Structures are given as C-alpha cells and as structure tokens.
Amino acid sequence: MTPSRRPAVKAWRLRGHLKETCGHPDGVSPAFGSCRNPHCLRSMRKMLAAVSRVLSGAAQKPANRVLVASRNFANDATFEIKKCDLHRLEEGPPVTTVLTREDGLKYYRMMQTVRRMELKADQLYKQKIIRGFCHLCDGQEACCVGLEAGINPTDHLITAYRAHGFTFTRGLSVREILAELTGRKGGCAKGKGGSMHMYAKNFYGGNGIVGAQGQIFEAYNMAALWKLPCIFICENNRYGMGTSVERAAASTDYFKRGDFIPGLRVDGMDILCVREATRFAAAYCRSGKGPILMELQTYRYHGHSMSDPGVSYRTREEIQEVRSKSDPIMLLKDRMVNSNLASVEELKEIDVEVRKEIEDAAQFATADPEPPLEELGYHIYSSDPPFEVRGANQWIKFKSVS
Amino acid sequence: MNLFQSITSALDNSLAKDPTAVIFGEDVAFGGVFRCTVGLRDKYGKDRVFNTPLCEQGIVGFGIGIAVTGATAIAEIQFADYIFPAFDQIVNEAAKYRYRSGDLFNCGSLTIRAPWGCVGHGALYHSQSPEAFFAHCPGIKVVVPRSPFQAKGLLLSCIEDKNPCIFFEPKILYRAAVEQVPVEPYNIPLSQAEVIQEGSDITLVAWGTQVHVVREVASMAKEKLGVSCEVIDLRTILPWDVDTVCKSVAKTGRLLISHEAPLTGGFASEISSTVQEECFLNLEAPISRVCGYDTPFPHIFEPFYIPDKWKCYDALRKMINY
C-alpha cells in the first residue's frame, strides 16, 4: 500500500467510527448516546492523532493494527430466518429479512459490547469489586439487541433482574452500568441500586422479583381486557434458576400460556429473527389489537447468578455445544462475512475497540468514589424539608433529601 | 356529610382538579360496596372511573404503573383484609421505587384506599386493621382518619402527596359518623397528630374508630376519677408525629395507647418503644397498650375481642394508681 493511500483509509475508519459509536446526524443508534460519551472523545482524539502522525510521516503504529484493504462491501443482503411457531395468529413475521451493512455492524458492535461487558462484570465480581447479586446475560445478546432493533426509543421497556444488556441497549453507557454494579457515584442509580435496579429514559429496570407466576396472569388478564398495547416477552433460557423448564412448568410452550393472548415462539439466538418478530409484534400492538406474547428461545452461558456455577444442573458439554453451534455473535459474524457485508478483519477491529471501551469503563467503575454515606437516607420519600431518618441505633440519624 | 359522602366529595374534588386522576378497583363503577364512588363515573366518564378484575395484586401493580407515568392513581381495595395479595407490590415495588432508582422514577401519585377496622359483624376477613404491617415499610405513608371532616382533608393530602399512600377508612363510621364538611377542597397535613383534648394527668393515643372510644374513656375518667386526660389522634401512622406524642407524655407522665389490631407487633409497640427511649425519665408508670388479643379477628367473640371503653378505663385506672 502506497503511503499516499494511508490517510484516506484512516479517514474512512474515523468516519466509520463516528457513525457507529456517536449517534452523529448521519449516524445511527440513539442507544449509543451522544458525543458527550467520553470514550468517543478519547478515541476520536486518538484517531486524529494517528491521522496527523501518518500525514507527518511519523512512525507507524504497531503491526497488529491491520490496515483494511479498501474494498467494496455489499450494501445489504437478504437472509432467510426461521419461521416462528404461532399461537392464535393467522400469520407470523416474514421468513426473510434484509440486513444492511450499517445495521449489521451496529448490531455486531452492540452484541459484542454486551458480551464483553458481562464478562468484565464476571471478572470484577470474582475480584470482589462487584458485590451482591449479579445476573449475567452473555449468550442472550441477540435478545436485547434484536428487541431494541424492532422498537422505537420512545417505547417503554421493563424487565426483571437479568437487566444489564437491556440497560445498555436502552441507552446507558457501559461506564454507568459498571459503575452502578460497583456501587459508585457515577452509576446510573447513583450507586444505590446495583445490578438489578438500573433505569434509563423509557427503561424501568431492573427488578428483583423472581417468582411472580400469579402476577403475570393477572397482568395478561388486564392487558387483554383493556386491549393494552403491550408485548409480553419470555426469554426462555431453558432454566428457572437451577430447575430445567421441563421440571418447572406443566407446559413449556410459554408462547401459548397467554391463552387468549396470541403468541409467537422465536429463535432467540438469531438477532434477525428477534428483530423481525419484534417488529411484527410491535406492529400488532400499535394497530390496536391488544397484547401479544413473544417467547425467545435463548441460552445463558453463565449460571443464574454469580453464586451459581451453572454446571450442577446442566453439563459443560451442553454449554459448549450451544457456544459452538448457536452463539448469537458468531451467527451474525458468519452471515456478514459470507455475504460480503463486512470482513473478518473489520469485525476483529470492532472487537478490539469494544475491549478497550470496556477496559476504560471498568477502570472508571473501579476508581470512581462511592456515594457519600449521607446519601443512605436519600429518596425514601419525596419531601420538601429534609427530615431525619433513624439509624441502627438512636445516636445515628440520616437526613432524607429528595 | 357522613364518612362515605366526605370520601366521595374528596374524590370529586380530585378528579375535577387533576385531569390525570383515575379511580379504579373492584365495583367502583356503580358506586362501590360502601358507596364511596357514587356518581363519579357518570360525572367523569368511564375511562376515569372503572372496574378492575378481582385481583388486588393486579390492582396495585396496575396503579404503580399508572403512577410511574405521572398520572394520579387512586386505587380501591375492597376491604383492608384483601390487601395482602398486594403486599408484595406495595412493599417491594411501590415503597422502593424512588429509592432504588436514585430518584429517577417514582410512583408517588399512587393512593390506595381501603375500608378498615371492626364493624360488629365482620368476622375474620372484613374487620382487620393491617396498619402495623405497613408501618414497617419505609417509603410509603399510612393514614387513618377518625371522622368525615378529617377524612376528606387527609385523603386530599394523600392524593396530592408525592409518595405512595395507603388510606384506611374506618368502615363502621361510613354511615355512623356525620359532620359538617366543606364542599370545597381543603387539606389536612400528614404526619401531624392532633391533640383533641388537653389534659395533664395521662395521655391517650389512638387512631380511627378507637379515638371515639378513648374520648369516652377520657370523660369517664374525668367524671369518676377526676383525672384530666390528654387525647391524641395520631392520624398518620407512618411517618408518625413523634414530637406531639412525646411532648404530651413529658407533660403528663403517663401513656395509654389503644388499637383494635392484635397486641403483639401492633403499632402501639412502636409508639411505646420510642416514647420510653425519649421520655424515660418523665414516665410515672409503665406505658399501657390496650389492644386486640393475639388471635385472628373472631366472629362470635368480637365483643370480647375489641379493646372497648371498659378495658381502656381499667388500664387507665391501674396507671393512675401505679
């Protein structure tokens, strides 16, 4: 490659980077937030530094920075996706879908970010920097990313405790998520919520309730009665904590258990299938037909929570098999590479960038100070004058401010 | 107005003033089993006053959802005895919403109303006073009025309060208590106890229906023993007005607390414990609690179970003679 070509390639990568991470006007995902993202500013500066270095003919970067050969990629490609099982529906989502290069790269980056973020959380937990409860969703990335791809940012989402992926796709930065996990000030709930209580605009957490069988049926009833535009989603990862679905549920056809509510069963490891199903379900609700149920068949690599090794109720072979045959990130990658939507090197680059982003976020999360002790009593009530909260003995009092 | 009419008046004021306010619960559409919502559906429409299916958990969960979006949710639980399926939603969700989200979200515009207390023939599941269960839960407010005038002001305050509130209405007073009540809205502040009658020898604390029992005991004591009683209506159970009660005990030196709910773990134990911490040296006699027995609320034995004026009078006499 002649020196004169290098600046053009680097500039292209800079533009590409901006589009994919910053939500610039010509960029895409609001989920990545705005340019206030400190990581963006940092790497932008790095990119600019690299470009100026090249232009001034300074020493090259180390060899592992592979310069992507400028080649033409396809703009989009059509893929076949698995047909969904239907309950009380005449027709389901389409069986083919078009994926643009732009979307593909975006989804890949998002899924990889969630994956690495969860693995980093695992690491920090084992180092006891994260305490308490931690429910990881690696393996289930296609669910949160695919879902977000099928809805609008103005739609509302609420979930249970396996929430980190959704917190990210709904717009919070990895920094804020990790800082919340480590219980620091910079966390999205100011460090007081932890793993299960993360909130963002149009995202209501993050709730710690595990067993709510009865409550869900009451919700189904009300939603159907009043034709509420609500998609009920079951991420079926085959296990309820440590009990396999066959041993916990009289009927494992969860998509049918809405009874009078129509349902679909979706391949939750295929992000395109999840996206199409979500679009279909959202259109159904928006047309005023009432609620609908989606069962996403997926898998989690980790145990239920960090205190669960995850192998006492299933075999390592099973986990390995899913990882090698149905890993959602791998599936997307193969599709994109095989249809010339992206190159292997390009995706590897994204991996490297994501790793860096997570590393930085983890640094922040570890170094950020904890919220001050005075905040223990904050936000119990909304009250105009701050009032005193009794502590564990009569000489300890906390102020409650709201 | 009687008590249920004053509640209707308060709800009417709320729906008129606040366009986002909605009332829902079992059978509220036709007016409610105690006629608290009569006429409201006709006046404000069926999308503001509507029935829910028979699921308390769903009612409160639904109410929390409405409140989170910012609308004012007024949920009715048909009897306080039925509030227990919703206990999880109240304690784990409503009470903690603001705290766990670091003030990002809250369900403060939720108010739950429920008929409360003994009624003479209610038996196990139409007579309970569950305020003590909720007093143990930071994040919600618990209020019990003693009369129509109090009820309207306190209910309006609960609805306008930016925290989820539970408002217990003494069902025996729905028709029995009649007072002059203003038609326009007015507020009575929460977390403020009211000294109904001043006295110097002993403080009597109660809430809801029991306030009237204790008032009668005060006049009996005056007449028969020449004892001057200070009567306090606590009004708000959580957060309760520690100052008023302690000031009173510092003055009188004796405290008698009475409620229908069972003795063990009843709210009197919280008051007793705090008062002895704060006013230990002022006390002339041990604090007395005259409460229901530690049994489920009985059917046939109700007259024996409830802390009537004779039991209270007896306890008062013992304290005076300590």
Side-chain angles (χ1 to χ4, degrees), chain B residues 155-193:
Chain B
L155 179 56
L156 283 171
S157 294
C158 282
I159 293 173
E160 287 159 26
D161 191 279
K162 295 191 177 40
N163 296 291
C165 297
I166 306 181
F167 187 77
F168 287 124
E169 302 163 359
K171 60 175 88 66
I172 200 174
L173 298 178
Y174 273 139
R175 286 178 206 262
V178 184
E179 278 190 308
Q180 290 292 339
V181 180
V183 172
E184 318 81 50
Y186 60 94
N187 290 76
I188 295 180
L190 300 183
S191 293
Q192 275 188 32

Side-chain angles (χ1 to χ4, degrees), chain A residues 235-376:
Chain A
E235 286 175 278
N236 181 2
N237 55 23
R238 303 197 219 164
Y239 297 94
M241 287 202 290
T243 311
S244 76
V245 294
E246 290 81 28
R247 290 190 295 126
S251 158
T252 54
D253 288 334
Y254 292 101
F255 72 110
K256 290 189 186 160
R257 290 184 70 176
D259 192 14
F260 35 80
I261 296 183
L264 9 141
R265 180 159 50 197
V266 181
D267 179 1
M269 300 306 258
D270 175 1
I271 189 187
L272 298 178
C273 202
V274 176
R275 181 181 76 170
E276 285 313 309
T278 308
R279 281 182 180 160
F280 174 85
Y284 181 92
C285 286
R286 290 190 224 279
S287 69
K289 297 201 186 100
I292 191 170
L293 217 138
M294 257 189 0
E295 179 189 338
L296 306 177
Q297 291 191 304
T298 181
Y299 199 82
R300 54 167 164 80
Y301 297 143
H302 268 88
H304 162 72
S305 70
M306 288 307 298
S307 46
D308 170 21
V311 286
S312 46
Y313 47 85
R314 54 185 188 175
T315 61
R316 284 189 208 279
E317 287 78 38
E318 181 188 292
I319 306 175
Q320 253 320 99
E321 204 192 324
V322 176
R323 227 188 250 280
S324 56
K325 295 222 183 86
S326 332
D327 183 278
I329 299 179
M330 179 190 78
L331 288 179
L332 180 65
K333 178 159 114 172
D334 289 346
R335 271 187 164 145
M336 287 184 65
V337 168
N338 293 342
S339 41
N340 197 28
L341 285 178
S343 70
V344 175
E345 296 85 7
E346 189 179 9
L347 297 179
K348 267 211 179 57
E349 271 245 1
I350 296 183
D351 290 349
V352 169
E353 281 163 14
V354 165
R355 242 178 251 263
K356 184 91 203 348
E357 181 185 345
I358 306 294
E359 226 15 87
D360 287 344
Q363 264 298 94
F364 170 75
T366 317
D368 198 36
E370 288 167 357
L373 184 59
E374 295 90 65
E375 290 194 12
L376 175 65

Side-chain angles (χ1 to χ4, degrees), chain A residues 158 188-190 192-193 197 199-204 206-207 209 214-215 218 221-222 225-226 228 376-382 390 394 402, chain B residues 50-53 55 57-59 62 68 88-89 92-93 97-105 138-141 162-163 238-239 270 274 277:
Chain A
I158 187 168
C188 49
K190 305 193 176 79
K192 282 155 71 173
H197 305 296
Y199 303 84
K201 189 163 195 306
N202 292 328
F203 174 56
Y204 304 91
N207 296 286
I209 308 307
Q215 296 185 17
E218 292 197 357
N221 190 30
M222 285 171 143
L225 213 55
W226 298 327
L228 303 175
L376 175 65
Y378 283 16
H379 306 308
I380 299 175
Y381 291 107
S382 157
R390 289 150 77 186
Q394 65 200 84
S402 209
Chain B
F50 53 89
N51 286 343
T52 58
C55 50
Q57 185 172 251
I59 292 171
F62 176 75
V68 172
D88 173 67
Q89 285 292 315
N92 274 339
E93 305 295 328
Y97 222 105
R98 188 186 294 276
Y99 188 87
R100 74 185 180 196
S101 67
D103 205 19
L104 268 179
F105 293 108
I140 52 172
K141 294 196 176 179
K162 295 191 177 40
N163 296 291
L238 179 76
E270 157 68 22
T274 305
E277 258 171 41

Side-chain angles (χ1 to χ4, degrees), chain A residues 116-190:
Chain A
R116 293 251 72 91
M117 180 177 73
E118 296 295 81
L119 295 178
K120 176 57 69 177
D122 170 272
Q123 187 185 55
L124 291 174
Y125 194 93
K126 288 176 175 143
Q127 292 175 323
K128 295 201 201 268
I129 297 174
I130 295 178
R131 325 281 324 250
F133 293 96
C134 197
H135 305 86
L136 302 176
C137 68
D138 51 317
Q140 297 184 201
E141 296 85 1
C143 295
C144 50
V145 179
L147 217 98
E148 188 65 33
I151 59 176
N152 303 331
T154 48
D155 293 324
H156 305 264
L157 195 138
I158 187 168
T159 183
Y161 45 84
R162 207 172 296 283
H164 308 161
F166 289 106
T167 317
F168 176 71
T169 54
R170 283 263 99 185
L172 285 189
S173 67
V174 180
R175 272 183 139 215
E176 284 173 296
I177 297 173
L178 287 181
E180 183 59 32
L181 287 175
T182 54
R184 306 303 163 95
K185 258 198 336 212
C188 49
K190 305 193 176 79

